[in-house]
Amino acid sequence: MACAKVPLDELHVTEPFGPQGKERTLPALHPDRKEERCFLSYKPPPEDGTAALLEEFLENAQFISEDLEWLLALPHDKFWCQVVFDESLQRCLDSYLRHAPRGLDPSGLSSSPAVADMQRNIHRSVFMVFLRMATHKESKENFITPAVFAEIIYNNYLFDIPKILDVCVLFGKGNSQLLHKMIENIFTQQPSYYADLNETIPSISQVFDTILQMCGIQSEDTGTGQPLKLNANKCQTAMTMPEEELADLLLYMCDTCTTIHSFLDIFPEACSTFKEHNFLNRLSSFYEMAVPDLEKAVKKRNFNKSLQEDMWRRISHSRKKMVEIAHLLLQHTCLQPILEGTESMASCVDDLLQNFTAFLQEKRLIMSKFLSKVMVVHVIYDSQDDTRTSYLLQGVESAWECVGKKRSFPSSANHSAGAKSKTGRDLAGAVCTVSAGELESLLCHIRDLLPDLGEGFILACLEEYGYNSELVINNVLEDKLSPSLDKLDRAMKELPSVLSTRSNAFDDDEFDVFNRDQLDMSRIWKGRRQRESVRATLDDKQHIEEQRERYQAYQTVVDEIPIENDPSRDRDNAFGTYDYDDEYDDTYDVNQIGANDLDEEDELLNRRYEPFTTPQVLRKGKQAQEDDADEDEEEEDKKDHFVQDPAVLRERAEARRAAMQSRKGYRPPPASHVVGGPRGRGQMQDTVLDRRRKEANKSRGANHNRRTMADRKRNKGMIPS
């Protein structure tokens, strides 16, 4: 049995051994004490969601979940024996860190609730295993000597820098404090991990150089010191590379930026190590060189709509994480010592201003939350280096002007006057009264990270959380907003007033004083209204007067327009009411219409379409009567032919049909004499021939050939025998 208060590395246990059950004493951490159990490797949920693949995933995940629960239930000594000496367990944990779906990765979790529940169970079990592996002291009785613990986790590769990075990005959401204690204990007990991190950062920087090289962009600081190759400028770019390569490239960049941000956010102590490698300048240079080309390629190339949306979401997420990485590095290496007032405050201020000066070349990165940091330094350090901070403010303003966005920033004189009054205020922004310039800085700070939020919603969040931008961003990303803010529209442009948010059944009616400037006061009275009598209603002729005024306008008729003999007066404006007619066609005003026509009397009469008709007034009596008679006859003819005789119409149709058939060479069949004469009197030769012909050919139609056609179908196999 185990003795109390003895570390696991010094503990020895006595157990039965062999078929005869002889006892032997072994160290508590010994390979023979490991249980024989095979841990399966993790496979992610299927994306297509087919039944067979889902069943396979659930079966494999069920085994993994049961094995991990069994592992967590082991006592302290058995757990560490299994962790240290079971290689299949390490393969299982590594496979989950490698293949578990990240935040933006497509997964099949939404295809089935059972898959989502199983994934959550495995996720929790893996996290609890790593958490227990990073704890050297579980209780007063169960613990490992810190030095031995450091050697165990380091020499057996239970933790390394890639594993720690993956643990942060997978389990960081909602577990940041717990993960910080876990990673802090690992780095504290085993400082060799700082050396490993120091060797890992150049590899991370190499990732950015690789992305630039794949996009056909030459990095300014490649670190190779070698000249460019002759065909270096012939490589593919973001606009010409294949679709799959561009998608993989954006996935690679998004995963790298998300992982680095998660690690620095959970373990800020690593920021100093990143600072030693000048990682911030490498990041800002990569942001300025790669992001514009990738954004242009995603916007202008013709992709599938779903693929294009996914690539744009990844590049936006990467851009956001790169800005947050720069903020974390500045916050924990420069700003935090300044705000805490440490002894190295002056050197931190100088370092911060130096970084900002280097950022002025990277205009895309400077137009973010760095303005607020310049303001903080301006307030604290204004009396010592006013020229430098003013130069930075002008650089930020010019960066905004380069993209066509004008921003006005407070001058250094205003800050100098108010520096003393602001020294006692919390410079992190946790106060409720800020100046207009600082409020603009906070808005730009949040909008750069969360561009989908409206200005009104951001102002409401700042008022709720005391103008602390970090607290606002954290609560928005983790969905921890207060109920009053959660009800607001996140795309709200301005804060709603009380009147705009009210809801009433009589909104926008004729008596809505909040939306109307003028009301009809004749329709408003106090108390009960006295109705008019019926006689007064009938005597009211107001509507007649209204109609009279309407129709009096039609009485103004001008028959003649007086024209004075004044040559200086315009003929068109003689009456003084000339209106321009836009529909008048003046195309032929300058042409001499009819100038070249024939003017002889006979020629003019010959060109008429109808003969000249003498007016009735100029006719003589007899001629007028004859003309009237002719007109009567024409009217009678028209009346007679208004409805024509059907017999005549049939004759005409038959004649047209015969003429058409004769043109086509159609010969009508001869007349049939099948009927013949009465019986007993003999039949004509034509009748006998016609009857014989009918008897021979009657099987061609009707139902007389049913047997023949049935035999024909049966011979062809259409009817089963």
Side-chain angles (χ1 to χ4, degrees), residues 620-642:
K620 297 181 180 180
K622 184 176 181 180
Q623 183 181 1
Q625 292 178 0
E626 292 178 355
D627 293 341
D628 293 341
D630 295 339
E631 291 178 359
D632 293 341
E633 291 178 359
E634 292 178 0
E635 291 179 358
E636 289 179 0
D637 293 340
K638 292 180 180 179
K639 291 181 181 179
D640 291 342
H641 294 287
F642 183 73

PDB file of all heavy atoms in Angstrom, residues 620-642:
ATOM      1  N   LYS A 620     -76.790  71.303-109.965  1.00  0.00           N
ATOM      2  CA  LYS A 620     -78.106  71.629-110.504  1.00  0.00           C
ATOM      3  C   LYS A 620     -79.123  70.623-110.018  1.00  0.00           C
ATOM      4  O   LYS A 620     -78.764  69.567-109.499  1.00  0.00           O
ATOM      5  CB  LYS A 620     -78.052  71.647-112.029  1.00  0.00           C
ATOM      6  CG  LYS A 620     -77.123  72.724-112.585  1.00  0.00           C
ATOM      7  CD  LYS A 620     -77.119  72.713-114.094  1.00  0.00           C
ATOM      8  CE  LYS A 620     -76.199  73.784-114.648  1.00  0.00           C
ATOM      9  NZ  LYS A 620     -76.161  73.797-116.126  1.00  0.00           N
ATOM     10  N   GLY A 621     -80.388  70.869-110.237  1.00  0.00           N
ATOM     11  CA  GLY A 621     -81.446  70.035-109.660  1.00  0.00           C
ATOM     12  C   GLY A 621     -81.410  68.609-110.138  1.00  0.00           C
ATOM     13  O   GLY A 621     -81.476  67.665-109.361  1.00  0.00           O
ATOM     14  N   LYS A 622     -81.338  68.361-111.484  1.00  0.00           N
ATOM     15  CA  LYS A 622     -81.372  67.015-112.023  1.00  0.00           C
ATOM     16  C   LYS A 622     -80.137  66.222-111.616  1.00  0.00           C
ATOM     17  O   LYS A 622     -80.202  65.060-111.236  1.00  0.00           O
ATOM     18  CB  LYS A 622     -81.478  67.089-113.550  1.00  0.00           C
ATOM     19  CG  LYS A 622     -81.620  65.714-114.202  1.00  0.00           C
ATOM     20  CD  LYS A 622     -81.807  65.868-115.703  1.00  0.00           C
ATOM     21  CE  LYS A 622     -81.972  64.496-116.364  1.00  0.00           C
ATOM     22  NZ  LYS A 622     -82.161  64.618-117.840  1.00  0.00           N
ATOM     23  N   GLN A 623     -78.976  66.902-111.679  1.00  0.00           N
ATOM     24  CA  GLN A 623     -77.729  66.218-111.309  1.00  0.00           C
ATOM     25  C   GLN A 623     -77.740  65.834-109.846  1.00  0.00           C
ATOM     26  O   GLN A 623     -77.267  64.767-109.461  1.00  0.00           O
ATOM     27  CB  GLN A 623     -76.538  67.131-111.615  1.00  0.00           C
ATOM     28  CG  GLN A 623     -75.191  66.479-111.322  1.00  0.00           C
ATOM     29  CD  GLN A 623     -74.052  67.428-111.621  1.00  0.00           C
ATOM     30  OE1 GLN A 623     -74.293  68.571-112.025  1.00  0.00           O
ATOM     31  NE2 GLN A 623     -72.840  66.937-111.439  1.00  0.00           N
ATOM     32  N   ALA A 624     -78.331  66.685-109.020  1.00  0.00           N
ATOM     33  CA  ALA A 624     -78.387  66.377-107.585  1.00  0.00           C
ATOM     34  C   ALA A 624     -79.256  65.176-107.318  1.00  0.00           C
ATOM     35  O   ALA A 624     -78.937  64.320-106.489  1.00  0.00           O
ATOM     36  CB  ALA A 624     -78.916  67.600-106.821  1.00  0.00           C
ATOM     37  N   GLN A 625     -80.415  65.056-108.072  1.00  0.00           N
ATOM     38  CA  GLN A 625     -81.292  63.907-107.874  1.00  0.00           C
ATOM     39  C   GLN A 625     -80.611  62.614-108.314  1.00  0.00           C
ATOM     40  O   GLN A 625     -80.739  61.584-107.654  1.00  0.00           O
ATOM     41  CB  GLN A 625     -82.584  64.109-108.672  1.00  0.00           C
ATOM     42  CG  GLN A 625     -83.445  65.241-108.142  1.00  0.00           C
ATOM     43  CD  GLN A 625     -84.700  65.450-108.974  1.00  0.00           C
ATOM     44  OE1 GLN A 625     -84.921  64.721-109.960  1.00  0.00           O
ATOM     45  NE2 GLN A 625     -85.518  66.429-108.589  1.00  0.00           N
ATOM     46  N   GLU A 626     -79.883  62.650-109.481  1.00  0.00           N
ATOM     47  CA  GLU A 626     -79.193  61.445-109.939  1.00  0.00           C
ATOM     48  C   GLU A 626     -78.124  60.998-108.933  1.00  0.00           C
ATOM     49  O   GLU A 626     -77.974  59.821-108.637  1.00  0.00           O
ATOM     50  CB  GLU A 626     -78.552  61.712-111.305  1.00  0.00           C
ATOM     51  CG  GLU A 626     -79.576  61.907-112.406  1.00  0.00           C
ATOM     52  CD  GLU A 626     -78.905  62.226-113.725  1.00  0.00           C
ATOM     53  OE1 GLU A 626     -77.645  62.371-113.689  1.00  0.00           O
ATOM     54  OE2 GLU A 626     -79.592  62.329-114.765  1.00  0.00           O
ATOM     55  N   ASP A 627     -77.426  61.967-108.422  1.00  0.00           N
ATOM     56  CA  ASP A 627     -76.383  61.620-107.435  1.00  0.00           C
ATOM     57  C   ASP A 627     -76.997  61.031-106.187  1.00  0.00           C
ATOM     58  O   ASP A 627     -76.487  60.065-105.615  1.00  0.00           O
ATOM     59  CB  ASP A 627     -75.563  62.857-107.084  1.00  0.00           C
ATOM     60  CG  ASP A 627     -74.744  63.339-108.270  1.00  0.00           C
ATOM     61  OD1 ASP A 627     -74.534  62.524-109.197  1.00  0.00           O
ATOM     62  OD2 ASP A 627     -74.293  64.511-108.254  1.00  0.00           O
ATOM     63  N   ASP A 628     -78.166  61.583-105.798  1.00  0.00           N
ATOM     64  CA  ASP A 628     -78.830  61.027-104.605  1.00  0.00           C
ATOM     65  C   ASP A 628     -79.303  59.613-104.859  1.00  0.00           C
ATOM     66  O   ASP A 628     -79.226  58.740-103.981  1.00  0.00           O
ATOM     67  CB  ASP A 628     -80.015  61.910-104.208  1.00  0.00           C
ATOM     68  CG  ASP A 628     -79.550  63.282-103.711  1.00  0.00           C
ATOM     69  OD1 ASP A 628     -78.339  63.375-103.333  1.00  0.00           O
ATOM     70  OD2 ASP A 628     -80.349  64.231-103.683  1.00  0.00           O
ATOM     71  N   ALA A 629     -79.785  59.347-106.068  1.00  0.00           N
ATOM     72  CA  ALA A 629     -80.241  57.993-106.383  1.00  0.00           C
ATOM     73  C   ALA A 629     -79.081  57.004-106.367  1.00  0.00           C
ATOM     74  O   ALA A 629     -79.201  55.882-105.876  1.00  0.00           O
ATOM     75  CB  ALA A 629     -80.933  57.991-107.759  1.00  0.00           C
ATOM     76  N   ASP A 630     -77.968  57.435-106.956  1.00  0.00           N
ATOM     77  CA  ASP A 630     -76.792  56.550-106.928  1.00  0.00           C
ATOM     78  C   ASP A 630     -76.361  56.248-105.504  1.00  0.00           C
ATOM     79  O   ASP A 630     -76.007  55.117-105.168  1.00  0.00           O
ATOM     80  CB  ASP A 630     -75.635  57.192-107.695  1.00  0.00           C
ATOM     81  CG  ASP A 630     -75.965  57.322-109.181  1.00  0.00           C
ATOM     82  OD1 ASP A 630     -76.856  56.576-109.625  1.00  0.00           O
ATOM     83  OD2 ASP A 630     -75.332  58.161-109.852  1.00  0.00           O
ATOM     84  N   GLU A 631     -76.392  57.262-104.654  1.00  0.00           N
ATOM     85  CA  GLU A 631     -75.995  57.034-103.252  1.00  0.00           C
ATOM     86  C   GLU A 631     -76.960  56.089-102.562  1.00  0.00           C
ATOM     87  O   GLU A 631     -76.561  55.225-101.779  1.00  0.00           O
ATOM     88  CB  GLU A 631     -75.943  58.367-102.509  1.00  0.00           C
ATOM     89  CG  GLU A 631     -74.802  59.271-102.980  1.00  0.00           C
ATOM     90  CD  GLU A 631     -74.808  60.596-102.249  1.00  0.00           C
ATOM     91  OE1 GLU A 631     -75.702  60.788-101.404  1.00  0.00           O
ATOM     92  OE2 GLU A 631     -73.904  61.416-102.503  1.00  0.00           O
ATOM     93  N   ASP A 632     -78.269  56.182-102.902  1.00  0.00           N
ATOM     94  CA  ASP A 632     -79.242  55.276-102.284  1.00  0.00           C
ATOM     95  C   ASP A 632     -78.993  53.832-102.719  1.00  0.00           C
ATOM     96  O   ASP A 632     -79.101  52.892-101.911  1.00  0.00           O
ATOM     97  CB  ASP A 632     -80.665  55.695-102.667  1.00  0.00           C
ATOM     98  CG  ASP A 632     -81.031  57.054-102.043  1.00  0.00           C
ATOM     99  OD1 ASP A 632     -80.330  57.434-101.057  1.00  0.00           O
ATOM    100  OD2 ASP A 632     -81.953  57.721-102.533  1.00  0.00           O
ATOM    101  N   GLU A 633     -78.693  53.653-104.043  1.00  0.00           N
ATOM    102  CA  GLU A 633     -78.423  52.300-104.519  1.00  0.00           C
ATOM    103  C   GLU A 633     -77.188  51.706-103.836  1.00  0.00           C
ATOM    104  O   GLU A 633     -77.162  50.534-103.460  1.00  0.00           O
ATOM    105  CB  GLU A 633     -78.225  52.326-106.037  1.00  0.00           C
ATOM    106  CG  GLU A 633     -79.511  52.640-106.797  1.00  0.00           C
ATOM    107  CD  GLU A 633     -79.265  52.702-108.288  1.00  0.00           C
ATOM    108  OE1 GLU A 633     -78.068  52.518-108.660  1.00  0.00           O
ATOM    109  OE2 GLU A 633     -80.209  52.927-109.062  1.00  0.00           O
ATOM    110  N   GLU A 634     -76.162  52.538-103.673  1.00  0.00           N
ATOM    111  CA  GLU A 634     -74.957  52.039-102.996  1.00  0.00           C
ATOM    112  C   GLU A 634     -75.257  51.645-101.552  1.00  0.00           C
ATOM    113  O   GLU A 634     -74.778  50.633-101.050  1.00  0.00           O
ATOM    114  CB  GLU A 634     -73.859  53.105-103.021  1.00  0.00           C
ATOM    115  CG  GLU A 634     -73.316  53.361-104.424  1.00  0.00           C
ATOM    116  CD  GLU A 634     -72.271  54.444-104.419  1.00  0.00           C
ATOM    117  OE1 GLU A 634     -72.007  54.974-103.311  1.00  0.00           O
ATOM    118  OE2 GLU A 634     -71.705  54.761-105.474  1.00  0.00           O
ATOM    119  N   GLU A 635     -76.104  52.445-100.891  1.00  0.00           N
ATOM    120  CA  GLU A 635     -76.445  52.102 -99.511  1.00  0.00           C
ATOM    121  C   GLU A 635     -77.254  50.817 -99.456  1.00  0.00           C
ATOM    122  O   GLU A 635     -77.064  49.983 -98.572  1.00  0.00           O
ATOM    123  CB  GLU A 635     -77.228  53.247 -98.878  1.00  0.00           C
ATOM    124  CG  GLU A 635     -76.378  54.495 -98.649  1.00  0.00           C
ATOM    125  CD  GLU A 635     -77.194  55.611 -98.032  1.00  0.00           C
ATOM    126  OE1 GLU A 635     -78.410  55.398 -97.828  1.00  0.00           O
ATOM    127  OE2 GLU A 635     -76.619  56.683 -97.747  1.00  0.00           O
ATOM    128  N   GLU A 636     -78.178  50.627-100.445  1.00  0.00           N
ATOM    129  CA  GLU A 636     -78.954  49.394-100.464  1.00  0.00           C
ATOM    130  C   GLU A 636     -78.042  48.181-100.712  1.00  0.00           C
ATOM    131  O   GLU A 636     -78.209  47.124-100.105  1.00  0.00           O
ATOM    132  CB  GLU A 636     -80.026  49.480-101.554  1.00  0.00           C
ATOM    133  CG  GLU A 636     -81.136  50.464-101.203  1.00  0.00           C
ATOM    134  CD  GLU A 636     -82.175  50.549-102.319  1.00  0.00           C
ATOM    135  OE1 GLU A 636     -81.971  49.829-103.319  1.00  0.00           O
ATOM    136  OE2 GLU A 636     -83.136  51.309-102.175  1.00  0.00           O
ATOM    137  N   ASP A 637     -77.067  48.340-101.661  1.00  0.00           N
ATOM    138  CA  ASP A 637     -76.142  47.236-101.914  1.00  0.00           C
ATOM    139  C   ASP A 637     -75.354  46.874-100.659  1.00  0.00           C
ATOM    140  O   ASP A 637     -75.157  45.703-100.333  1.00  0.00           O
ATOM    141  CB  ASP A 637     -75.188  47.603-103.047  1.00  0.00           C
ATOM    142  CG  ASP A 637     -75.930  47.738-104.368  1.00  0.00           C
ATOM    143  OD1 ASP A 637     -77.045  47.182-104.456  1.00  0.00           O
ATOM    144  OD2 ASP A 637     -75.393  48.393-105.287  1.00  0.00           O
ATOM    145  N   LYS A 638     -74.949  47.922 -99.940  1.00  0.00           N
ATOM    146  CA  LYS A 638     -74.196  47.665 -98.707  1.00  0.00           C
ATOM    147  C   LYS A 638     -75.066  46.962 -97.677  1.00  0.00           C
ATOM    148  O   LYS A 638     -74.629  46.049 -96.989  1.00  0.00           O
ATOM    149  CB  LYS A 638     -73.644  48.959 -98.141  1.00  0.00           C
ATOM    150  CG  LYS A 638     -72.562  49.581 -99.005  1.00  0.00           C
ATOM    151  CD  LYS A 638     -72.066  50.863 -98.395  1.00  0.00           C
ATOM    152  CE  LYS A 638     -70.983  51.499 -99.263  1.00  0.00           C
ATOM    153  NZ  LYS A 638     -70.484  52.766 -98.702  1.00  0.00           N
ATOM    154  N   LYS A 639     -76.323  47.373 -97.583  1.00  0.00           N
ATOM    155  CA  LYS A 639     -77.218  46.739 -96.628  1.00  0.00           C
ATOM    156  C   LYS A 639     -77.484  45.290 -97.021  1.00  0.00           C
ATOM    157  O   LYS A 639     -77.572  44.416 -96.179  1.00  0.00           O
ATOM    158  CB  LYS A 639     -78.535  47.510 -96.558  1.00  0.00           C
ATOM    159  CG  LYS A 639     -78.394  48.884 -95.916  1.00  0.00           C
ATOM    160  CD  LYS A 639     -79.739  49.600 -95.851  1.00  0.00           C
ATOM    161  CE  LYS A 639     -79.596  50.980 -95.231  1.00  0.00           C
ATOM    162  NZ  LYS A 639     -80.898  51.694 -95.183  1.00  0.00           N
ATOM    163  N   ASP A 640     -77.635  45.013 -98.364  1.00  0.00           N
ATOM    164  CA  ASP A 640     -77.932  43.648 -98.796  1.00  0.00           C
ATOM    165  C   ASP A 640     -76.749  42.713 -98.528  1.00  0.00           C
ATOM    166  O   ASP A 640     -76.947  41.541 -98.195  1.00  0.00           O
ATOM    167  CB  ASP A 640     -78.259  43.639-100.301  1.00  0.00           C
ATOM    168  CG  ASP A 640     -79.598  44.346-100.539  1.00  0.00           C
ATOM    169  OD1 ASP A 640     -80.346  44.496 -99.571  1.00  0.00           O
ATOM    170  OD2 ASP A 640     -79.827  44.760-101.690  1.00  0.00           O
ATOM    171  N   HIS A 641     -75.559  43.248 -98.714  1.00  0.00           N
ATOM    172  CA  HIS A 641     -74.376  42.398 -98.562  1.00  0.00           C
ATOM    173  C   HIS A 641     -73.785  42.425 -97.158  1.00  0.00           C
ATOM    174  O   HIS A 641     -72.697  41.911 -96.950  1.00  0.00           O
ATOM    175  CB  HIS A 641     -73.292  42.838 -99.565  1.00  0.00           C
ATOM    176  CG  HIS A 641     -73.700  42.602-100.983  1.00  0.00           C
ATOM    177  ND1 HIS A 641     -73.755  41.348-101.541  1.00  0.00           N
ATOM    178  CD2 HIS A 641     -74.087  43.474-101.965  1.00  0.00           C
ATOM    179  CE1 HIS A 641     -74.153  41.438-102.805  1.00  0.00           C
ATOM    180  NE2 HIS A 641     -74.367  42.729-103.087  1.00  0.00           N
ATOM    181  N   PHE A 642     -74.489  42.984 -96.237  1.00  0.00           N
ATOM    182  CA  PHE A 642     -73.964  43.002 -94.864  1.00  0.00           C
ATOM    183  C   PHE A 642     -73.949  41.588 -94.298  1.00  0.00           C
ATOM    184  O   PHE A 642     -72.970  41.164 -93.690  1.00  0.00           O
ATOM    185  CB  PHE A 642     -74.817  43.932 -94.008  1.00  0.00           C
ATOM    186  CG  PHE A 642     -74.301  44.050 -92.601  1.00  0.00           C
ATOM    187  CD1 PHE A 642     -73.148  44.780 -92.342  1.00  0.00           C
ATOM    188  CD2 PHE A 642     -74.933  43.406 -91.569  1.00  0.00           C
ATOM    189  CE1 PHE A 642     -72.664  44.880 -91.065  1.00  0.00           C
ATOM    190  CE2 PHE A 642     -74.452  43.499 -90.284  1.00  0.00           C
ATOM    191  CZ  PHE A 642     -73.323  44.253 -90.029  1.00  0.00           C
TER     192      PHE A 642
END
